Amino acid sequence: MPAEGKSDLERIGLFSEMGYVTIGDKYVSQYMRPFNEAASKNRQMLPGGSKTLSALQEGYFEPQFVRIFDGEAYSNPVQIRRRYRLAEAKKNLGKAFLPSNGDKLPCGKGTYYGTIGGPFTYFSAQLKARERYIPPGKNFYTNPGKKGTGYGYANLTIGEQYPHEADGYELEKLIAKKAREEHKRLVKGGPFKINLYPQDYFDVNPYFNDKPLPPVKKPPPEKPIAPPFIPSSPAKKSGGMKGGTFDPYPSHSADPYVIKKSMAVPTSKERKIFYPPPGPRSRPVTSIITLNVTRSINANNYKTAHLTSD
């Protein structure tokens, strides 16, 4: 353990801490520091003072009042319109068209005064000769329509009754099953899998395994249990007279009394200091947002990737 302090590996989890850019720079205190140092140095701009608004020209930037239409020619709109009418009148080839007579106005309903064609001739009330009317032939007769919708009723249509077609039970499922069997028959081998596809850090299903399971181990055959040992005669109970033992009295064993030597307590100099093993060291870790961005945007789809909101 270093005497000066912790090492870089223990502090930040790196073998060596990188150097800093500002090492050796002069310290500048932020206390009582002017906001704009350039404003207090060298000669500054000295204005001539504020001017009040008045009717004079002193309060403006120009020495005299400048007009917008200064020096522009005067134009008379009446004269311009008269010249335009004279120019348009010169374009006429002849005089203006004047009708020979004015419009005639009708003097009431039913009169033809002022019309171009005049009155119409009188219509005669006499009928014109017509051909004899021959009535058309009769339509063919049919029986009245039979009552019923036609669905579920026999002999209600014009033609013969529709033939019955058998419809098996769950026919769609049988057809789909045959299609799946035909597809499996045409497929050769299993699905194609590539090992270069990027995988996630954690599997979605922790119990899923690509490797086949090993064969089931057969349990070892059970050994027959031997019958329990039954003595020929029951054991004798000890009733204080040592009747159930092999020896009438236990044999004496020599057990001398020995004093155990006490171990000397080690001093502080001889005793070693216990240092616990260091735990897991911290180091810079990439954030979860950066991991998700890197995982969703990679070298294959960074051109076509777009922003989504869940």
Side-chain angles (χ1 to χ4, degrees):
M1 182 173 183
E4 297 180 358
K6 295 182 178 180
S7 62
D8 296 341
L9 184 63
E10 295 178 351
R11 289 190 302 103
I12 59 176
L14 300 176
F15 290 102
S16 177
E17 187 177 3
M18 301 300 293
Y20 296 92
V21 184
T22 58
I23 293 177
D25 294 351
K26 187 178 180 181
Y27 175 73
V28 180
S29 176
Q30 300 294 333
Y31 181 70
M32 297 295 293
R33 184 179 179 181
F35 175 72
N36 188 6
E37 293 187 36
S40 61
K41 297 179 181 179
N42 300 328
R43 184 176 295 178
Q44 307 297 320
M45 182 180 66
L46 301 176
S50 61
K51 297 180 180 180
T52 58
L53 183 64
S54 62
L56 302 178
Q57 196 64 24
E58 296 179 353
Y60 301 96
F61 293 99
E62 298 292 336
Q64 59 182 358
F65 184 77
V66 180
R67 298 182 178 275
I68 300 175
F69 300 102
D70 191 8
E72 186 176 355
Y74 174 74
S75 59
N76 190 359
V78 179
Q79 187 179 6
I80 293 174
R81 288 196 296 268
R82 186 182 298 112
R83 290 178 180 177
Y84 177 75
R85 287 197 299 269
L86 291 175
E88 292 294 328
K90 291 180 180 179
K91 297 179 181 180
N92 296 332
L93 300 177
K95 296 182 178 180
F97 173 74
L98 298 176
S100 58
N101 292 323
D103 298 336
K104 296 181 180 179
L105 301 177
C107 58
K109 291 183 179 181
T111 62
Y112 298 95
Y113 179 76
T115 59
I116 299 175
F120 291 92
T121 56
Y122 179 75
F123 291 97
S124 175
Q126 186 178 1
L127 298 176
K128 295 182 179 179
R130 297 180 180 179
E131 297 180 357
R132 182 180 178 183
Y133 173 74
I134 300 174
K138 296 181 180 181
N139 296 329
F140 62 93
Y141 293 95
T142 57
N143 292 331
K146 298 178 181 180
K147 296 181 179 180
T149 59
Y151 298 99
Y153 295 89
N155 301 325
L156 293 183
T157 56
I158 298 176
E160 297 181 357
Q161 188 177 2
Y162 294 105
H164 175 70
E165 293 184 1
D167 188 6
Y169 179 69
E170 296 183 350
L171 186 60
E172 296 179 357
K173 293 184 178 180
L174 295 176
I175 296 173
K177 183 179 180 181
K178 291 180 180 179
R180 288 194 301 270
E181 292 177 354
E182 182 65 18
H183 175 70
K184 290 181 180 179
R185 188 183 64 82
L186 297 176
V187 170
K188 296 181 180 179
F192 176 74
K193 295 181 180 180
I194 186 170
N195 297 328
L196 301 178
Y197 185 78
Q199 301 293 334
D200 296 334
Y201 290 100
F202 302 100
D203 295 335
V204 179
N205 185 5
Y207 302 101
F208 179 75
N209 190 7
D210 295 336
K211 299 180 180 178
L213 296 176
V216 180
K217 295 182 179 180
K218 296 182 180 181
E222 297 181 358
K223 296 181 180 180
I225 301 173
F229 172 73
I230 302 175
S232 59
S233 61
K236 298 177 182 180
K237 295 181 180 179
S238 59
M241 60 177 181
K242 309 300 179 180
T245 59
F246 294 99
D247 298 331
Y249 291 98
S251 59
H252 177 72
S253 59
D255 189 7
Y257 178 75
V258 181
I259 299 174
K260 294 182 179 180
K261 295 181 180 180
S262 60
M263 297 183 66
V265 178
T267 60
S268 61
K269 294 182 178 180
E270 296 177 355
R271 184 184 301 172
K272 295 182 179 180
I273 301 174
F274 172 73
Y275 294 105
R281 299 181 178 87
S282 62
R283 67 178 306 279
V285 181
T286 310
S287 64
I288 297 175
I289 296 177
T290 307
L291 284 176
N292 292 336
V293 171
T294 307
R295 191 184 305 169
S296 59
I297 301 177
N298 47 43
N300 296 328
N301 64 345
Y302 73 96
K303 292 185 179 180
T304 59
H306 60 278
L307 182 60
T308 58
S309 62
D310 295 336

